Every structure is written in C-alpha cells, then in structure tokens.
Amino acid sequence: MYAYTDFDRQFVHARAAQFRDQLERHLAGQLPDDDFRALRLQNGWYIQRHAPMLRIAIPYGVLSSKQLRQLGRIAREHDRGYGHFTTRQNLQFNWIPLPQSADVMDLLADVDMHGIQTSGNCIRNITSDVTAGVAADELIDPRPYAEVLRQWSTLHPEFAFLPRKFKIAISGAKEDRAAIGWHDIGLQLRRNEAGEVGFQVFVGGGMGRTPIVGQEINPFVPWQHILLYLEAIVRTYNRFGRRDNMYKARIKILVKAEGQAYFDAVNAEYQSILNDDAGSHEQIIPEAELARVAASFVEPQGVTPAAGIDIFEGAAPAYRRWLERNVHAHRVSGYRSVTLSLKRLGLPPGDITDAQMDAAADLSDRFSHGELRVSHDQNLLLPWVRESDLPALYEAAKAQGFATPNIGLLTDMIVCPGGDFCALANARSIPVAAEITERFQDLDELWDIGDIDLHISGCINSCGHHHSGHIGVLGVDKDGSEWYQITLGGSDGSTLSGAAVPGKVIGPSFAADEAADAVEAVIATYRREREAGERFLQTVRRIGLDAFKQATNRIRRTTAKQTTD
C-alpha cells in the first residue's frame, strides 16, 4: 500500500481543520447554505433524502485493516452501524448528523483518509482493477501510476470547476476488471514493440441518460508523458464542454458531437503544452519519482513464493463451490486472492455493518498482511492469502457471513442505494434486489444458471451501472409511482462479456410488483433456449430480444393493458 508522507498527512489534517472552521461558521449562521454547499461537497458531504451522506475516497480500491476498523468505529459512533461500498471503490455513510461531520473528518485524517473530490465537477476518485498487483494475467501493475494520477488530480487548480464530474479508470491486466470503457477517460497499460511502457487512452465513455462507450484517442502515450496528455484532454474539455445544460455537459457529449475535431484539438493541445507551457516539463514523470511511489507497492514482508498445491483435493461440496467462485489465481506461486462476498440475504448489496468491518479487518490481519481491496462489484477482496490458509479462511469467513459462493452469479448483483436514500433517485433499488435474491437462494439453481451480471439503478444517473449489466434494471418515475425498465445484453468490457456495450430495452417499463417477475421470466427463457455450454449473454446475442420480450410480457398484470408484442 502507498505510504503517506508527512506532507500527505499534514495536507489531509489541514483539510479537516479547514472543514471544521467552515462547519462552525455555517452552524453559527455566519456562512450561508449556498456558500457552505460548495465547500462541503468538495469534501464529500451531500444532503440526501433523509440526512447528510458522506462519500469517502478509497483510492484505486486499496484499504488497510486499520482504515477499515476506523470506518467501523465511525459507523458505530456516528452513523447507524453500517456503511455502503459503491461501484467506484468508495464507501458511503448515510446517517451522520451534520454537526458531527468535522469530528468524522478528523477520524478519517487520523488514518490517512478523506472525502476530497468524491463530489463536485472535478476529477473524482481514481479507480482500478481490484486485483491490481496480484492478478495472474497482469501485464503491468497499475497502482503506482494510479497513485501518481491521484496526486496530480487532487485539488488541481485548473480542474476544480469542470463542466461536469469526471471519472478516470486504469487497468494493467489482459482482463479488464475496471470497466475502463465506461469512464470519461479509460487507461490501459501496455508495452510497445520495443518493450516500453505506455498507455492506450480511451475518452468519452459514460452512462447516464446517454450511454456511450469510450473511443480510443491515442494507442500509446509513453508513461512519462501521461500527465501532460491527460492535462490536454481535460483542458480541452474544460474549454469546450457545455455549461448551459447539465444533461449535455459530460465529456462524452463533446466527443460524440465533435469526433475527430475533438481528438485533433487534444493532440494539438498536448503539443502546445510540451512546447509552450512554462514548467510543462516538470509534469514529465521522472524515473525516480515513479520508483519512489512504486516502492510502496512491493510485496508485503513475509510473502514468499511457495510450491502450489491442489486446493481442490478432498474438498467437500460447499467448500469446493467457494473455491471455484470466491478464490482467484495469483501471480505469486502458492498464493490466491479471495473475495469476501457482501451479497447475502437480509442486507442490501454492498452494505457492511460495523461488526463486519471489524471482522473483515481481523481476517485481513490474519490472512492477508493487513490489506484489503474494494471491488467494482461492491465486494471486499483479500489479496495475499496463502493456499495453505484457505481452509481456515473459509471457516472464518463463513462464520462472519462472507463466504457465500456466488461471485459472478445472479445474486452477486450491483445495486445503488436508490430511493431509500438518494434524493436524485426515481425509484427504490434495494427492495427489487431483495426480492430477486430471495427467489434465487438455491445454490444448485444459481450454478446451473451460471455467470450473469445483474445491475440495478434507481435513476438514470446509472450509479448501479445498469447499462453494462447482462440484465439491467432501471427505476423510473411515472406520476409518482415506481416503475422499472429492463435491458438485456450490456457488457462492462470483461473477457466474459466481450467489448463494452449498453444493453437494449426489451419493452415498456414494469410496475414495481412486476420487476422481480420480469427478471425471473428472463432467466427462465434463457434456461429454456440455451444450447449446451452456452452462457446467458451468448444466448441473448444468438436468439435476440423477442423471446425475452414475449416472456416478460406474459407476466404483466398492472401493465398488461399497455403492452403489445
């Protein structure tokens, strides 16, 4: 993990002290709501449907056991005993009273954490592959580069008030586990024919009202120049992005509208920065600086390669299922990474209680050198587990409710908080997710259905990434009632799913009491129509949408009179 320097710690504590001063002046009536709003948003504090919400940055998803315990303390002492992990590797609290917010900022600063740039029209938390640094298919470790990008983007004076929020994701493996195509900028580390390291750069991806997959703007930017190239991308967007209409302000709209003209403008700006900007060469990353940052990402002390073992030998059926679904290949012989599932009956996907935070921290200390990761799929991962420790970890994880063997299956769904918490949501997500989870508790049935990405969003902002789901569910509002639109065939860009693409709507929206029935009808149609060995997405692409549309239309009750084949 990256080791914060004295400067880093002073910076975070100074930011917390600044926020305390702002809060005290606001509560005393000296700082109006409109003035305080911009300041609190810059530190991750929203006012949601019921109470303030705090979004905490977990840069590129890496978390220490000490930090997780501190989050558990905050949940216990200042919230209602739980938090929620998001698709962008953040953690959210939903019930912290505003007068206590400065105390929480201090607690976060004590463990090198904060909420800086988790809100607002700025460059948000840099995200990456959950298995970065340990993946068996990794080409180049993206974590040092992600940390350099974090430092570059934090409080960047030119990019504090962009036309709209801005998200960057980076991957260094053959498998895209960071959904880079769905980000404003997606970065894929690669080597050229000479073996030099650089970035394939994609720009203009995003979900929301207009789902668009990012386009390649440059096949290879030398790593030393990546800050200059990103500066050119964001500077050009800042100059030409629309500010008259928030729904058309994202960079994806600019890229779609201007196409090659935007690409040409970026590349011209890049050359201008190199040749004309005062001090531009100070943003060319020196070898020594990358080496300094990379030194924080060496293998933990005590990790030593060992002869691999047959982890399945003599495994009982339940344990074998866990090994197959929750345990992953590792680049170090004798080690595995292990997912702690946060998808189980009784709690919303991604939610974790204070007691479970403490328990996960304990598992991390015992089995993973005190390190955890937060995944895009709203689970936790232990990156440094000895194969010989897997049986003991399984028993310990099972005792804490983390061992559900459902990773990649239907109930391992991505879900936003929806209308139960979010002021922007049109419909609730959690009840739909709960009903689907209840219907698919039979593990034999789940395993027979196989790999499926189910994503649920409570509004068109797409925090649940419904566009990229094999099955997507979008909550919409109709005259004050909750309705749900179903899409099929989306992809996040992974090997399993193929190139990133948005799903297609299969018909008019479903009433709230029909949404889970519609998903069940989709699954039944797949099981009836699939060929031997065929996964869900393959069946959808082979037979098209009509069979699924007809099946879901048959379950309509409230909407029956409005539906035609």
Side-chain angles (χ1 to χ4, degrees):
M1 293 184 61
Y2 177 69
Y4 268 40
T5 65
D6 288 342
F7 171 83
D8 294 320
R9 292 196 172 92
Q10 290 169 9
F11 170 79
V12 174
H13 278 283
R15 187 75 174 186
Q18 180 190 58
F19 180 79
R20 180 177 292 278
D21 176 68
Q22 295 162 355
L23 176 68
E24 290 175 351
R25 288 189 290 125
H26 172 67
L27 295 177
Q30 300 169 0
L31 190 64
D33 283 345
D34 287 345
D35 293 337
F36 181 59
R37 178 178 181 273
L39 300 172
R40 64 172 169 77
L41 285 174
Q42 290 172 1
N43 288 287
W45 290 94
Y46 295 72
I47 301 299
Q48 290 292 80
R49 188 176 296 274
H50 305 295
M53 183 198 83
L54 170 61
R55 181 178 293 147
I56 299 164
I58 304 174
Y60 40 92
V62 179
L63 190 66
S64 72
S65 59
K66 180 180 179 181
Q67 290 173 328
L68 186 56
R69 285 195 184 88
Q70 190 80 320
L71 295 175
R73 176 185 173 184
I74 292 170
R76 191 161 43 249
E77 297 180 0
H78 297 278
D79 201 271
R80 294 188 176 181
Y82 67 95
H84 174 79
F85 287 112
T86 76
T87 57
R88 299 210 74 253
Q89 299 176 313
N90 298 307
L91 181 104
Q92 294 178 179
F93 289 119
N94 290 290
W95 299 101
I96 298 175
L98 192 61
Q100 298 179 28
S101 58
D103 295 334
V104 172
M105 294 286 282
D106 286 337
L107 289 172
L108 291 172
D110 286 343
V111 292
D112 305 335
M113 299 189 79
H114 55 78
I116 300 170
Q117 293 184 200
T118 60
S119 177
N121 295 336
C122 58
I123 297 173
R124 299 286 186 89
N125 183 38
I126 308 294
T127 60
S128 189
D129 177 1
V130 67
T131 57
V134 301
D137 67 335
E138 187 164 88
L139 306 172
I140 302 158
D141 187 349
R143 295 173 299 166
Y145 302 95
E147 175 58 28
V148 170
L149 295 183
R150 183 194 71 81
Q151 295 183 24
W152 163 79
S153 62
T154 300
L155 302 188
H156 193 301
E158 189 175 351
F159 305 143
F161 299 99
L162 295 170
R164 201 68 173 86
K165 59 186 176 181
F166 202 90
K167 301 174 181 179
I168 300 174
I170 176 173
S171 174
K174 294 179 181 178
E175 170 87 7
D176 179 8
R177 287 175 287 268
I180 63 174
W182 286 109
H183 285 73
D184 298 283
I185 294 177
L187 299 173
Q188 176 64 53
L189 277 158
R190 52 170 298 192
R191 295 183 186 274
N192 63 14
E193 293 180 355
E196 299 164 326
V197 174
F199 291 89
Q200 183 182 16
V201 182
F202 299 88
V203 66
M207 296 193 180
R209 295 174 182 272
T210 310
I212 300 175
V213 176
Q215 301 178 50
E216 182 187 87
I217 186 173
N218 197 312
F220 189 85
V221 175
W223 68 266
Q224 297 92 335
H225 284 200
I226 191 59
L227 298 186
L228 297 175
Y229 201 79
L230 295 187
E231 188 99 7
I233 289 175
V234 186
R235 183 180 289 183
T236 305
Y237 165 57
N238 202 22
R239 185 186 308 156
F240 297 113
R242 293 187 60 172
R243 298 177 187 269
D244 61 320
N245 185 331
M246 68 174 293
Y247 301 115
K248 297 182 179 180
R250 295 292 294 270
I251 193 173
K252 63 184 180 181
I253 302 299
L254 179 63
V255 172
K256 182 179 180 181
E258 299 297 329
Q260 188 61 45
Y262 173 79
F263 290 3
D264 292 343
V266 167
N267 288 315
E269 183 66 32
Y270 172 53
Q271 292 301 320
S272 177
I273 292 172
L274 272 174
N275 299 327
D276 303 327
D277 271 22
S280 65
H281 287 270
E282 294 177 5
Q283 289 199 71
I284 297 176
I285 306 169
E287 291 270 3
E289 175 61 12
L290 183 66
R292 180 191 71 81
V293 174
S296 294
F297 297 102
V298 297
E299 294 172 1
Q301 187 175 5
V303 170
T304 54
I309 62 174
D310 181 359
I311 62 174
F312 294 99
E313 183 177 1
Y319 178 52
R320 175 178 286 272
R321 278 181 164 163
W322 179 78
L323 290 173
E324 291 182 8
R325 280 288 161 184
N326 296 45
V327 177
H328 320 291
H330 204 287
R331 67 170 180 80
V332 179
S333 177
Y335 283 79
R336 300 287 176 131
S337 58
V338 177
T339 298
L340 303 180
S341 176
L342 299 184
K343 317 296 174 58
R344 65 280 191 213
L345 196 63
L347 282 176
D351 275 15
I352 184 169
T353 68
D354 60 326
Q356 288 177 320
M357 291 186 204
D358 290 342
D362 290 344
L363 292 177
S364 173
D365 283 337
R366 183 178 171 190
F367 296 105
S368 189
H369 296 273
E371 184 178 337
L372 305 99
R373 307 283 180 83
V374 180
S375 77
H376 164 72
D377 297 317
Q378 298 174 286
N379 292 310
L380 289 174
L381 181 130
L382 301 180
W384 300 101
V385 180
R386 289 181 181 272
E387 289 180 339
S388 57
D389 286 338
L390 288 172
L393 172 57
Y394 170 68
E395 295 298 333
K398 185 169 62 172
Q400 299 297 335
F402 293 134
T404 308
N406 65 342
I407 303 307
L409 300 179
L410 184 68
T411 57
D412 183 25
M413 59 186 76
I414 288 176
V415 182
C416 76
D420 286 302
F421 299 99
C422 181
L424 300 176
N426 296 317
R428 293 174 297 167
S429 302
I430 295 172
V432 175
E435 187 171 357
I436 294 170
T437 299
E438 288 172 2
R439 295 187 186 195
F440 291 94
Q441 282 299 293
D442 187 319
L443 284 175
D444 290 332
E445 182 181 22
L446 276 178
W447 280 60
D448 177 68
I449 295 168
D451 296 279
I452 290 185
D453 292 341
L454 170 62
H455 300 172
I456 305 176
S457 296
C459 77
I460 198 62
N461 287 303
S462 314
C463 293
H465 288 215
H466 66 277
H467 289 301
S468 66
H470 302 167
I471 302 174
V473 180
L474 167 63
V476 296
D477 174 81
K478 290 187 178 181
D479 300 322
S481 297
E482 295 175 320
W483 293 69
Y484 297 88
Q485 186 182 86
I486 307 294
T487 57
L488 298 181
S491 169
D492 58 6
S494 64
T495 299
L496 168 67
S497 305
V501 64
K504 295 182 179 179
V505 179
I506 61 170
S509 301
F510 295 85
D513 64 346
E514 300 169 338
D517 291 338
V519 171
E520 192 169 9
V522 166
I523 298 300
T525 303
Y526 157 62
R527 298 178 79 180
R528 183 181 67 249
E529 298 290 340
R530 65 185 172 183
E531 294 180 348
E534 197 171 49
R535 292 190 174 101
F536 175 80
L537 201 54
Q538 294 170 318
T539 301
V540 171
R541 291 169 177 169
R542 177 175 58 82
I543 71 173
L545 301 184
D546 285 347
F548 296 98
K549 181 178 179 180
Q550 292 171 16
T552 53
N553 281 342
R554 284 193 288 271
I555 62 89
R556 293 181 185 272
R557 298 176 296 277
T558 307
T559 60
K561 294 181 180 180
Q562 304 175 23
T563 304
T564 62
D565 289 339

